[in-house]
Amino acid sequence: MEYVYAALLLHAAGKEITEENLKAVLEAAGVSPDEARIKALVAALEGVNIDEVIEKAAMPVAAPVAVAAAPAAGAEAAPAEEEEEEEEEEVSEEEALAGLGALFG
């Protein structure tokens, strides 16, 4: 994960994601860089629009918005709705993490 974090840090700083830059970030964090993993990550990210991937991974689920917009049926319905929202958010987060994991290996 530290390799992905290093790439995201470089991206957020507006720096090019290169082998040299990744190695520098990892070394600054006290990580002994693995050249093969760095090469693989740089190759995997070639041509990838990171902003687009992050946006897709962070998209909110539409269902909680619809539930929030609907008038409450009563006090008894509120806890069930909250539980459903929490479950949907968990699935959404898991899906987002799976998507990022698939992207960055």
Side-chain angles (χ1 to χ4, degrees), residues 60-82:
V61 176
V65 174
V67 171
E76 295 174 9
E81 289 177 4
E82 288 177 13

Side-chain angles (χ1 to χ4, degrees), residues 58-72 81 84-86 88-89 92:
M59 289 179 67
V61 176
V65 174
V67 171
E81 289 177 4
E84 288 177 17
E85 286 181 34
E86 289 176 10
E88 290 177 17
E89 288 177 15
S92 172

Side-chain angles (χ1 to χ4, degrees), residues 40-80:
L41 180 59
V42 171
L45 292 176
E46 188 130 345
V48 173
N49 183 336
I50 295 174
D51 290 322
E52 184 178 305
V53 173
I54 291 171
E55 183 179 317
K56 285 181 181 179
M59 289 179 67
V61 176
V65 174
V67 171
E76 295 174 9

Side-chain angles (χ1 to χ4, degrees), residues 32-45:
S32 178
D34 178 346
E35 296 291 331
R37 291 180 77 182
I38 290 174
K39 287 179 188 270
L41 180 59
V42 171
L45 292 176

Side-chain angles (χ1 to χ4, degrees), residues 15-31:
K15 306 290 182 183
E16 188 176 359
I17 300 172
T18 64
E19 292 178 29
E20 296 81 25
N21 288 348
L22 280 171
K23 185 176 179 180
V25 170
L26 291 167
E27 287 175 344
V31 176

